Structure formats: C-alpha cells, structure tokens
Amino acid sequence: MSDMSRPGFLLPLARHGSLLAPALVLLGMLVLPAGARGQGDTRTAVVLPPDDREHLLEEMRGFLVYTTATLEAALDSDMARVQQLEQQMRPPLARARQLASDDPLPTPAMAGRGAAVGGGPGGGPGGGQPTRFERMRRNLPQTFRLLMLQMREDIAEIGRDAVSRNDPAHTLRQLHKVQTVCIACHEAYRLEAGIPDAQR
C-alpha cells in the first residue's frame, strides 16, 4: 500500500484544509447528477460506462490526494518527499502518453511479456473484449486526454525539479500550474454514466 492510500493519511493535512476546498468543489462540479445541474451548464458531456466513470473518478481523487500531499511537503520544505509523491503518482507518465495518443496500441508481442495493452481484431488482447484502457482511448475526447497528459507531464516536472532545484517556492508555482490545467478541464467537461455513442 502506498503512503498516499494509508488510512489517516490526510489527517496531518488538516491545517491546510482550506486550500483543498476549491479542488473538492471542482470535483463535485464534474460529477453532479444531471438533475442537479443548472440549465446553463454548457460543458461537454463525457459519457462513459458506469465502471469506467468510477475508475476515472477514483484517479481524480488520487490526484487530489497527490496535490494536497505535495502542498504539505513543499510547505515543510521536504523536497525528497515531493519527489517520492510524484513517483507514486498514477498513471505512469508513459501510460498517460499512450492514452493521449491516437497511434495504434502495440500488440502484446510488441509490448513485451505481460504488457497486454494492445488488442486483436475484437478489441482486447487476442481479439476479446476491449480493455478499460482501450475504452478510455475510444470514449474520452482527445482534448480531454491531452489535458490529462499535460497535468501528468507537469507533475513529472515537479518530481524532477524537487531535488535538483530544492526550491519549495518553485514547487508551489508548479503546483499552481497543474491546478490551472485541472480547472480548465473541469470547466470544459462533465462526466456522465451511460452508453457512449461509439458503442451504440
């Protein structure tokens, strides 16, 4: 179990709770039930199968935990911890780049033993059902995927700079940049559970 998923991990962050509140509001905006949205909500609806939607929301919650923990570490000038948190972040940068790309996925033989990220004619490895990763590539707008990639690349930069520059103020500015991308995504899209057009 990673440090970020330990029970009680967020308790030491209580003194910075007010800084987390805006991010929690943004997450709520993205996932409000249809009946709770105002008629003026012009954001693009991203329709995903219920399980895939929950998976994506779980990743977003992980992002909130990451940003809050990184804020805590930077305020404590614990730059080794900042780097460690980036290394624990999911998805890995290489995977985020694959998700954002429209290039064909490698077949299992190309990807190497156990990779199983490609698919046969039926969509999944060996031609079975599409994997979640394949469904996400198909159902998420590319602009959405590119925003996710930009956030992940910016987070990777935070990890690289944490030790090489050892500058908490620089990390805080980088974290602000990541949050700006997050806000742009929440302002543009909302998640809905349903049957994507590609599957109809």
Side-chain angles (χ1 to χ4, degrees):
M1 179 180 294
S2 71
D3 289 345
M4 288 193 291
S5 60
R6 288 202 317 261
F9 173 77
L10 290 178
L11 292 179
L13 306 182
R15 68 180 185 274
H16 303 304
S18 62
L19 296 173
L20 179 60
L24 293 174
V25 170
L26 285 172
L27 183 60
M29 288 171 54
L30 193 67
V31 301
L32 278 175
R37 301 188 197 101
Q39 293 185 351
D41 189 347
T42 59
R43 292 174 298 164
T44 299
V46 177
V47 181
L48 298 172
D51 287 350
D52 291 350
R53 177 179 178 271
E54 288 303 314
H55 174 78
L56 186 55
L57 291 177
E58 183 64 29
E59 288 200 346
M60 291 179 178
R61 287 188 286 270
F63 169 76
L64 290 178
V65 172
Y66 163 79
T67 54
T68 307
T70 301
L71 172 65
E72 174 81 5
L75 290 172
D76 289 342
S77 298
D78 187 350
M79 305 312 290
R81 177 67 174 152
V82 170
Q83 184 184 51
Q84 180 187 38
L85 288 165
E86 186 279 322
Q87 292 170 346
Q88 295 173 354
M89 188 65 181
R90 294 292 180 269
L93 181 56
R95 193 68 163 169
R97 286 172 174 160
Q98 275 191 327
L99 181 65
S101 173
D102 280 335
D103 293 338
L105 288 170
T107 64
M110 293 169 58
R113 181 181 299 177
V117 297
Q129 292 298 315
T131 64
R132 172 174 282 132
F133 185 79
E134 291 167 330
R135 293 194 304 270
M136 289 293 192
R137 286 229 312 184
R138 181 177 60 199
N139 295 326
L140 293 175
Q142 189 180 32
T143 49
F144 186 104
R145 291 182 278 131
L146 288 172
L147 285 169
M148 292 176 64
L149 175 60
Q150 183 177 343
M151 282 197 300
R152 189 61 188 87
E153 288 180 334
D154 289 345
I155 288 170
E157 184 179 48
I158 289 175
R160 289 193 300 269
D161 288 355
V163 174
S164 63
R165 297 188 57 154
N166 194 28
D167 182 356
H170 176 67
T171 296
L172 292 175
R173 288 191 293 270
Q174 290 176 305
L175 200 57
H176 177 265
K177 179 183 176 184
V178 170
Q179 288 283 19
T180 299
V181 178
C182 178
I183 290 170
C185 187
H186 282 261
E187 288 180 338
Y189 297 101
R190 66 176 187 268
L191 298 183
E192 294 186 357
I195 302 175
D197 289 341
Q199 297 181 18
R200 292 177 179 173

